[in-house]
Amino acid sequence: MFVVIEMVDTVRTPPWQFQQKLNDAIAEQLNKKLANKVVYNVGLCICLYDITKLEDSFIFPGDGASHTKVHFRYVVFRPFLDEILVGKIKGCSQEGVYVMTLSRSGFGNMKQKKELTTSTWTRARTSDSEWWTRLSSTPPPAAPSPPKPALTKRKRPPTLS
């Protein structure tokens, strides 16, 4: 689920950060640039793990900032194929089931579309509520009760590629 990825980037350090240590200024710029962003074929970047190598810094004409090529490792949220994520049911509707995932880590909501649930789930409703129930080989109980708010649900995320 969470992995450490090695990356290389050229970081621009503005002149007002020259008073800081180079590692601290670069770490701040990397977190500002990558934290809470989704990088294609990498995943959701969380935070800087460490800086492994700093190459020479350059100052280009017309720009007072220094540009440094940096090799670093970053913590990334990248679910594996068929990995099961745990979340809480937030609600359900005709379109699908809404799940709040990884609430401790600060991640948001996920929607499981109706098309992905119809093989094992069916929608049931009464006059004042509706809910999803799992299909099984045994007959369902006469009157299933709707799920209580904040029930735990496990689901596989859609593929990344």
Side-chain angles (χ1 to χ4, degrees):
M1 182 177 295
F2 292 95
V3 293
V4 177
I5 302 286
E6 292 184 21
M7 301 172 85
V8 178
D9 194 11
T10 301
V11 178
R12 179 183 184 274
T13 307
W16 56 85
Q17 288 188 328
F18 288 167
Q19 63 191 7
Q20 297 176 354
K21 290 183 180 178
L22 184 60
N23 280 355
D24 295 339
I26 288 176
E28 184 179 332
Q29 290 299 318
L30 284 171
N31 278 324
K32 190 183 291 184
K33 181 178 182 178
L34 294 173
N36 295 323
K37 305 279 190 314
V38 177
V39 178
Y40 183 69
N41 283 340
V42 174
L44 175 67
C45 295
I46 306 297
C47 66
L48 181 67
Y49 186 73
D50 66 352
I51 296 173
T52 55
K53 182 180 176 185
L54 292 174
E55 294 185 8
D56 293 334
S57 297
F58 297 99
I59 297 177
F60 296 116
D63 186 10
S66 72
H67 299 264
T68 309
K69 189 171 182 180
V70 183
H71 299 257
F72 58 95
R73 296 189 293 178
Y74 220 84
V75 178
V76 174
F77 173 71
R78 183 177 190 167
F80 302 109
L81 187 63
D82 292 333
E83 182 176 2
I84 296 176
L85 302 177
V86 177
K88 304 233 182 247
I89 294 176
K90 189 174 174 186
C92 59
S93 68
Q94 194 170 8
E95 292 88 34
V97 179
Y98 297 91
V99 180
M100 179 165 299
T101 58
L102 302 169
S103 58
R104 283 184 168 172
S105 301
F107 294 106
N109 302 325
M110 186 183 305
K111 177 181 172 186
Q112 184 166 350
K113 295 181 182 177
K114 179 181 176 184
E115 295 80 30
L116 299 174
T117 61
T118 54
S119 61
T120 57
W121 293 81
T122 183
R123 188 169 63 98
R125 62 180 155 175
T126 61
S127 59
D128 60 342
S129 65
E130 66 180 289
W131 62 93
W132 288 81
T133 56
R134 184 179 269 291
L135 295 175
S136 64
S137 57
T138 61
S145 60
K148 296 178 180 123
L151 283 176
T152 301
K153 177 172 179 3
R154 296 176 186 267
K155 86 172 270 282
R156 287 189 174 96
T159 60
L160 292 176
S161 38

